[in-house]
């Protein structure tokens, strides 16, 4: 069965393709359009479809739209209620719902040859849930979904058995942990539905002195639900304008919101375990990208295993919708990893370099060349294999640096043009991770948890240690990522450090680099010393000397 999954209605439009229960391709539209998050989550943009990512998914499998057995759309307008009836201030929401109802016709127009009758609406949070449970290594698992909003709810808790979902609880709008966090994001001067991760980072610089006050408006209610709306943020800290410096008041408010979020999530996890039992919890929804909260659940929750969808935001519902439909007939395969996007052959990459008329080398081993450059404290743009599905750079579209130089945090934030409080992440060999990091799940291949950095290592890898002594790690297994592992081992031979700084290959406000042109543009516009693109090395001095 050939199923194309589509996410389009709110934000992070994406497409994913399943063939006979196997994930063939998945990609976000932003990587093709070069618009961050694909579009803004406004009713006026709800008609926009991930046309380019959908066409690429089909091309990857050699299919045409007419070959598809089904197309899933991760929102079911028959379940939706008007925003005003849900207590939401969204006067243009009827326009959004009208676009959703007409999605089959829009898709048939965008993908000529598609029969609109083959479009299947999948409830938004069911699509999120299916991106977690069936996609994970745990076919029988509890599942927790939390985001801003779906048709009429903001939350789903359930249990997967034999690939089938049993929904145990939902939370009606307007109560929404995701929307509350979005409101705080805007109050702190960041872009809502985009910059929530910045609030999580800022929280580490504050103390949760407003926790008792926030509990009045944000708290569990029992039976798997919660209250989360009506917070008067201005009564706790003044709003911050976009270009104003942040203050301790802003950091304390972020820390308080982070603390109350963790409290509610922990209670929801304990409730779900009492109802459903089991050893594994899978998670999706935008709130599941909060790696600090994920770590609290893993450390203090009732589950032995916690697995989070690497594309936990709305982009992941493209894959989830397809997996949900596939599971109606047979058990689909777990996702093979996050490297589900575009890739290029060595010959294709060489043609890009020659077309750009840029000098390049072909070293015996690009991994060793990069290890040598990093050991010399160079910054490396790393473009290898298929791009990642989801917001994390996981060793395919990365900027790499030496972790032993504390100043490299400021240096990378300068290169990327982003806030000084933003941390960078350590990439570490899986067989060495436990020596340096604890307090979180190991292995941790998708950079979705934080770990405590061992005291004796903090001064050795200061660039990747956040202000609170933690790090958001990515573990690398040699069997799955041999090139990255070889680079890490080469760096360790030269420096004694089994860790390399890893952050996404982009600059502030732009999507992660996806194709060779993106990589060359980023390399040309930022002070990066070496571009490692496939087996080829491009050095700044020779390219722009």
């Amino acid at each position: 069965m050939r199923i194309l999954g589509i996410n389009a209605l709110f934000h992070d439009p994406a497409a994913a393709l399943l063939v006979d229960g196997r994930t063939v391709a998945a990609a976000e539209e932003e990587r093709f359009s070069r618009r961050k998050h694909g579009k803004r989550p406004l009713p006026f943009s709800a008609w926009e479809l991930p046309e380019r990512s959908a066409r690429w998914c089909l091309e990857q499998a050699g299919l045409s739209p007419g070959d598809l057995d089904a197309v899933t759309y991760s929102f079911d307008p028959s379940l939706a209620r008007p925003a005003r009836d849900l207590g939401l201030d969204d006067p243009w929401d009827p326009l959004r719902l009208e676009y959703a109802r007409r999605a089959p016709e829009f898709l048939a127009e965008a993908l000529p040859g598609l029969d609109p009758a083959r479009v299947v609406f999948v409830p938004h949070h069911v699509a999120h849930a299916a991106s977690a449970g069936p996609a994970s290594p745990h076919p029988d698992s509890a599942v927790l979904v939390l985001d801003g909003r779906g048709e009429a709810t903001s939350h789903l808790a359930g249990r997967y058995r034999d690939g089938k979902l049993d929904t145990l609880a939902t939370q009606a709008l307007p109560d929404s942990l995701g929307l509350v966090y979005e409101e705080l994001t805007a109050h702190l001067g960041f872009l809502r539905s985009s910059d929530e991760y910045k609030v999580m980072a800022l929280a580490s610089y504050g103390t949760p002195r407003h926790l008792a006050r926030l509990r009045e408006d944000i708290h569990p209610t029992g039976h798997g639900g919660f209250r989360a709306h009506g917070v008067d943020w201005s009564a706790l800290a003044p709003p911050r304008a976009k270009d104003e410096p942040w203050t301790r008041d802003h950091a304390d408010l972020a820390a308080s919101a982070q603390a109350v979020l963790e409290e509610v999530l922990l209670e929801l996890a304990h409730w779900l375990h009492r109802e459903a039992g089991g050893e594994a919890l899978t998670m999706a929804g935008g709130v599941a990208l909060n790696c600090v909260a994920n770590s609290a659940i893993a450390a203090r929750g009732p589950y032995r295993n916690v697995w989070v969808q690497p594309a936990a935001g709305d982009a992941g519902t493209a894959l989830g919708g397809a997996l949900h439909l596939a599971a109606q007939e047979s058990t689909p395969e777990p996702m093979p990893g996050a490297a589900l996007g575009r890739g290029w052959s060595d010959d294709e990459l060489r043609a890009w370099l020659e077309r750009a008329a840029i000098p390049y080398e072909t070293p015996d081993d690009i991994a060793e060349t990069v290890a040598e450059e990093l050991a010399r404290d160079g910054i490396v743009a790393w473009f290898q294999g298929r791009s990642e599905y989801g917001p994390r750079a996981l060793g395919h579209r990365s900027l790499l640096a030496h972790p032993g130089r504390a100043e490299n945090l400021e240096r990378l934030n300068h290169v990327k043009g982003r806030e000084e409080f933003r941390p960078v992440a350590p990439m570490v060999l899986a067989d060495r991770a436990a020596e340096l990091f604890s307090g979180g799940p190991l292995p941790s291949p998708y950079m979705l948890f934080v770990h405590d950095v061992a005291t004796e290592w903090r001064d050795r890898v200061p660039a990747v240690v956040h202000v609170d002594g933690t790090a958001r790690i990515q573990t690398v297994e040699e069997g799955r990522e041999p090139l990255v592992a070889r680079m890490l081992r080469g760096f360790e031979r030269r420096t004694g450090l089994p860790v390399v700084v890893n952050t996404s290959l982009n600059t502030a406000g732009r999507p992660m680099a996806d194709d060779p042109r993106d990589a060359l543009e980023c390399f040309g516009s930022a002070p990066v010393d070496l571009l490692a693109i496939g087996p080829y090395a491009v050095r700044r001095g020779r390219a722009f000397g």
Side-chain angles (χ1 to χ4, degrees), residues 3 18-23 130 133-136 139 160 162-164 319-320 322-335:
I3 306 171
L18 258 64
V19 177
D20 297 331
R22 182 174 60 88
T23 303
S136 78
Y160 272 100
D162 300 322
K164 302 299 189 291
L319 176 61
L323 286 168
H324 173 74
L325 189 60
Q328 308 309 304
E329 294 194 359
S330 61
T331 302
E333 297 179 16
M335 65 184 293

Side-chain angles (χ1 to χ4, degrees), residues 124-422:
H124 188 69
H125 291 127
V126 170
H128 268 309
S131 79
S136 78
H138 309 288
D140 290 343
S141 66
V143 62
L144 195 59
V145 172
L146 294 124
D147 67 358
R149 61 176 291 195
E151 293 84 0
T153 63
S154 67
H155 159 58
L156 180 151
R159 171 83 193 200
Y160 272 100
R161 287 188 177 89
D162 300 322
K164 302 299 189 291
L165 174 65
D166 179 19
T167 299
L168 301 175
T170 62
Q171 176 58 57
L173 293 165
D175 292 292
S176 169
L177 292 170
L179 291 181
V180 161
Y181 216 84
E182 286 183 19
E183 292 168 3
L184 174 60
T185 299
H187 184 77
L188 293 177
F190 305 117
L191 183 62
R192 66 183 301 162
S193 295
S194 176
D195 292 347
E196 283 70 23
Y197 59 95
K198 297 181 182 180
V199 177
M200 181 184 68
L202 183 61
S204 298
Y205 289 82
T207 57
R209 59 187 174 92
H210 302 296
L211 179 56
R213 172 63 186 83
L214 286 180
R215 284 174 178 152
E216 297 175 16
D217 293 316
I218 307 171
H219 56 259
T221 56
H223 309 293
F226 52 85
R227 173 191 165 91
H229 78 274
V231 180
D232 183 358
W233 300 109
S234 294
L236 304 176
R240 185 186 78 92
K242 178 182 176 181
D243 297 321
E244 284 182 346
W246 60 273
T247 67
R248 185 57 181 260
D249 286 340
H250 298 126
D252 287 350
L253 185 56
S256 303
Q258 180 68 34
V260 77
L261 174 70
E262 292 173 24
E263 285 186 352
V264 176
L265 291 181
L266 274 168
E267 173 53 34
L268 294 177
H270 281 286
W271 179 89
L272 181 55
H273 189 260
R274 291 193 296 270
E275 293 294 314
E279 295 187 345
L281 173 68
T282 58
M283 297 174 62
V287 176
L289 291 172
N290 190 304
C291 55
V292 177
N294 294 345
S295 298
I297 292 172
R300 307 199 301 274
Y303 293 96
R304 178 175 299 179
N305 299 302
V306 179
W307 188 90
V308 182
Q309 163 59 240
D314 273 9
T317 65
L319 176 61
L323 286 168
H324 173 74
L325 189 60
Q328 308 309 304
E329 294 194 359
S330 61
T331 302
E333 297 179 16
M335 65 184 293
L340 298 169
R342 288 188 288 178
W344 281 263
S345 69
D346 293 351
D347 288 344
E348 288 171 326
L349 293 174
R350 186 175 65 252
W352 273 95
L353 294 171
E354 291 176 352
R355 189 180 306 123
I358 193 167
Y360 66 91
E361 307 166 12
T362 309
D364 292 337
D365 186 348
I366 190 67
E368 289 293 332
T369 298
V370 167
E372 181 66 28
E373 182 66 34
L374 293 172
R376 291 198 298 259
D377 202 25
I379 293 178
V380 175
W382 176 266
F383 185 100
Q384 303 293 336
R386 294 178 67 174
S387 61
E388 300 92 339
Y389 183 45
R392 307 284 193 245
L394 301 170
H396 294 249
R397 303 289 187 271
S398 294
L399 283 170
L400 309 176
H402 196 307
R405 316 267 196 250
E407 58 271 22
N408 277 346
L409 171 59
E410 182 179 355
R411 184 180 173 199
L412 280 168
N413 282 334
H414 172 70
V415 167
K416 290 168 68 72
R418 64 183 199 174
E419 297 85 359
E420 78 282 358
F421 61 82
R422 299 270 300 280

